[in-house]
Amino acid sequence: MLRKALFNGARHHGGKLAPLFLALGIAMLFILPVRRTRSIYIDENAVGQMYPSANAGSVTAYLDPTVRWPRRLVRGRRSPGSEIVAVYVNTDYSASVLLANALIEVVRRRKSLACDVQFYFLKSNEEWPVPQAYTRAALVLNISTLYSRYICIDTLGNNGIQPNQDYTNSAAQFARMNGLSPSYLCQHPRRITDNVKDGFWYYWSYLEASMQLSARPQPWHILPTHSINTIAISSDPLYSASSTLLGQQVTDAFATMLLQIIVSLNGLEEKFHHSHFVWLPVSVWRYVEYDHAQFCIMLFVASIFSTAYSEYQLRGMSITPLFATLLLTPVGAAAAFRAGGWSAVAAASAAFSLLFRLFMSHVNSVIWLTFNAIALCLLIILQPACGLMAGAASAIQVFFTHSALQNRPAMAVGAGVSFILVYYFIYYLHMPLFGIAGISELFVSFVIYPNALWIGSRLLCLTC
């Protein structure tokens, strides 16, 4: 009886739930970083000792700006020879080379390492090799100055994939122990501040940085993120001039922090697996669990399917290959931009919407909305941050095709909102109109932008 009642309720009223699902998804997206955060902690037993007995001491005598070897393997005294910690040194910065050479000397003299440390000295324009040996983790030295205590811990790899949270938490806590001030937001091109009181904006900026990652590729993004946990330690450009310190205390702090990271990795008996591989920071010390945030994406998917079902109840389903032409519009818009800038893009977008109105006025939106929902489901695994931001945008856009909103005022609002969202992603976040370099670019190009054109064409169907 209950099953039958639920089935009948879903069949007759499923199309009416889209506003509820959308409102819950948006509310959850905004409330989580304010009301549902956790303090960072270390989950792996092997790195549970947060105060390892590792002190580099004074490294002044070891500072050498010369790259003597493109690769250098430093054997651990207790290493079986089959496991390494990979350290990539960006030789574009002499400070990174100085620190790496000092670290080599410190590691050489340590008697208790149970793994080898493989150093790679590379320029940023070179192809960075992937280690062939079993790699516990990778550490990138991208430090441009040894006289600033403000550092970046770059956690976002290819397509916004993150390393295990225990690795980044360990690095952040070692940095604080040594008087350094870490940040996760340095990969955001528009970053202004790291004020931890602005937890929501820290969280939102991190999502934006993940979306924009493919537009600002780094050489270490070539490392396979699903098999090698990688973080990059960089100098924070926001404080490069205002926080200069005298003496060698910052250099020694850097060396000790890096040694502690290597020692903590040395303690691992197996690869990281206990802690989170996706998390959303609201500061360096607090975060939102993706186990909670992924329900936002699920609610957006439910809203899209409910909207599609409402139109199916009203007009049935139209199956036509003409929907494939929507996927060609980013190519046309990109060509228009090269030819005449943003004014040409606006003209091309209006022309595309008019063409869809002329040739697809009889077609409903069910198939296109289903495509939106399937693409959004894939983002739960492929790029979670894109699923949260662009997924919310997609759900908002297609909501205006709901059968209850088939009127001119509502559709006019929908067209305006849809193009504002396109403006946000393409103009404000500087994402390409036709982008194929990453998952986020693909979603914006082939879902968000065509959605706006489709909503515009539905408005023209009601007005012309």
Side-chain angles (χ1 to χ4, degrees):
M1 293 293 293
L2 179 60
R3 182 186 300 176
K4 184 177 180 180
L6 290 174
F7 175 78
N8 289 332
R11 186 176 66 176
H12 295 294
H13 305 290
K16 300 176 183 178
L17 296 176
L20 176 63
F21 289 140
L22 181 60
L24 288 175
I26 294 174
M28 191 173 182
L29 181 65
F30 284 86
I31 290 173
L32 280 175
V34 179
R35 306 296 300 176
R36 191 70 179 178
T37 63
R38 296 189 63 180
S39 296
I40 65 169
Y41 65 99
I42 305 299
D43 202 12
E44 292 282 354
N45 294 331
V47 294
Q49 50 167 344
M50 286 313 303
Y51 302 97
S53 56
N55 192 325
S58 176
V59 297
T60 305
Y62 305 139
L63 296 177
D64 183 357
T66 306
V67 178
R68 301 185 183 278
W69 319 271
R71 299 186 184 187
R72 174 72 185 272
L73 180 64
V74 181
R75 296 284 185 184
R77 300 289 180 90
R78 297 170 55 193
S79 170
S82 59
E83 302 176 6
I84 67 167
V85 172
V87 178
Y88 291 85
V89 184
N90 187 349
T91 58
D92 290 352
Y93 302 117
S94 60
S96 295
V97 177
L98 287 167
L99 190 58
N101 284 330
L103 188 61
I104 287 172
E105 295 302 319
V106 172
V107 172
R108 281 183 58 227
R109 287 163 171 74
R110 190 166 183 87
K111 299 180 180 180
S112 58
L113 277 184
C115 66
D116 299 334
V117 184
Q118 175 73 66
F119 288 84
Y120 298 92
F121 291 83
L122 302 153
K123 292 185 177 295
S124 59
N125 58 1
E126 294 182 85
E127 183 176 351
W128 289 29
V130 177
Q132 298 299 313
Y134 176 94
T135 306
R136 296 191 176 193
L139 177 64
V140 178
L141 300 186
N142 196 47
I143 298 167
S144 59
T145 176
L146 294 178
Y147 299 99
S148 173
R149 66 183 183 88
Y150 293 95
I151 64 169
C152 307
I153 301 178
D154 295 335
T155 62
L156 295 170
N158 191 30
N159 286 323
I161 302 300
Q162 298 163 291
N164 185 277
Q165 193 181 12
D166 281 340
Y167 188 21
T168 57
N169 288 350
S170 300
Q173 294 200 41
F174 293 148
R176 182 169 63 176
M177 284 168 51
N178 289 284
L180 304 175
S181 182
S183 169
Y184 288 149
L185 294 187
C186 297
Q187 289 171 290
H188 193 295
R190 290 176 176 266
R191 170 171 162 261
I192 299 174
T193 181
D194 274 357
N195 187 352
V196 295
K197 295 180 181 178
D198 298 330
F200 174 79
W201 296 113
Y202 199 105
Y203 157 89
W204 194 258
S205 296
Y206 192 83
L207 293 179
E208 288 182 336
S210 179
M211 289 285 297
Q212 297 172 288
L213 204 65
S214 54
R216 303 174 68 244
Q218 300 295 335
W220 57 87
H221 290 172
I222 194 174
L223 300 178
T225 49
H226 289 289
S227 58
I228 300 178
N229 289 280
T230 305
I231 61 172
I233 307 295
S234 308
S235 300
D236 191 336
L238 196 63
Y239 299 96
S240 58
S242 61
S243 60
T244 300
L245 301 177
L246 299 176
Q248 294 298 320
Q249 53 182 328
V250 177
T251 306
D252 296 340
F254 269 122
T256 299
M257 176 193 69
L258 297 174
L259 180 62
Q260 288 172 336
I261 292 173
I262 292 172
V263 169
S264 70
L265 295 172
N266 171 73
L268 286 176
E269 296 180 358
E270 53 187 335
K271 284 192 174 182
F272 289 110
H273 63 92
H274 289 138
S275 191
H276 300 286
F277 282 87
V278 181
W279 77 98
L280 305 169
V282 296
S283 73
V284 176
W285 316 113
R286 298 192 68 83
Y287 71 100
V288 172
E289 292 181 273
Y290 183 62
D291 292 347
H292 298 150
Q294 66 183 344
F295 285 104
C296 297
I297 304 178
M298 295 177 187
L299 287 167
F300 296 143
V301 171
S303 173
I304 294 172
F305 274 127
S306 179
T307 302
Y309 186 61
S310 74
E311 189 159 6
Y312 171 77
Q313 287 179 307
L314 181 67
R315 301 174 60 189
M317 180 184 295
S318 302
I319 300 177
T320 171
L322 291 176
F323 274 114
T325 58
L326 277 167
L327 302 179
L328 300 177
T329 55
V331 181
F337 179 76
R338 292 191 186 94
W342 290 111
S343 58
V345 172
S349 299
F352 290 147
S353 292
L354 181 59
L355 287 173
F356 292 134
R357 183 260 177 267
L358 293 175
F359 294 101
M360 300 178 69
S361 59
H362 62 288
V363 178
N364 62 42
S365 308
V366 176
I367 294 297
W368 182 249
L369 267 61
T370 303
F371 170 75
N372 271 256
I374 293 172
L376 186 50
C377 287
L378 293 175
L379 292 183
I380 295 177
I381 298 174
L382 296 177
Q383 189 169 354
C386 181
L388 290 169
M389 289 189 68
S394 171
I396 291 170
Q397 287 177 314
V398 302
F399 173 69
F400 288 96
T401 64
H402 195 281
S403 60
L405 300 177
Q406 299 295 316
N407 57 76
R408 293 178 185 177
M411 199 61 73
V413 172
V417 170
S418 295
F419 279 102
I420 287 172
L421 291 170
V422 170
Y423 171 88
Y424 170 73
F425 286 106
I426 293 177
Y427 187 83
Y428 180 77
L429 294 186
H430 299 293
M431 302 189 72
L433 281 162
F434 175 59
I436 56 174
I439 301 298
S440 59
E441 289 188 2
L442 286 168
F443 194 86
V444 170
S445 296
F446 294 101
V447 177
I448 300 297
Y449 178 66
N451 277 350
L453 300 179
W454 183 249
I455 302 300
S457 72
R458 299 309 90 185
L459 172 62
L460 293 176
C461 287
L462 294 174
T463 55
C464 298

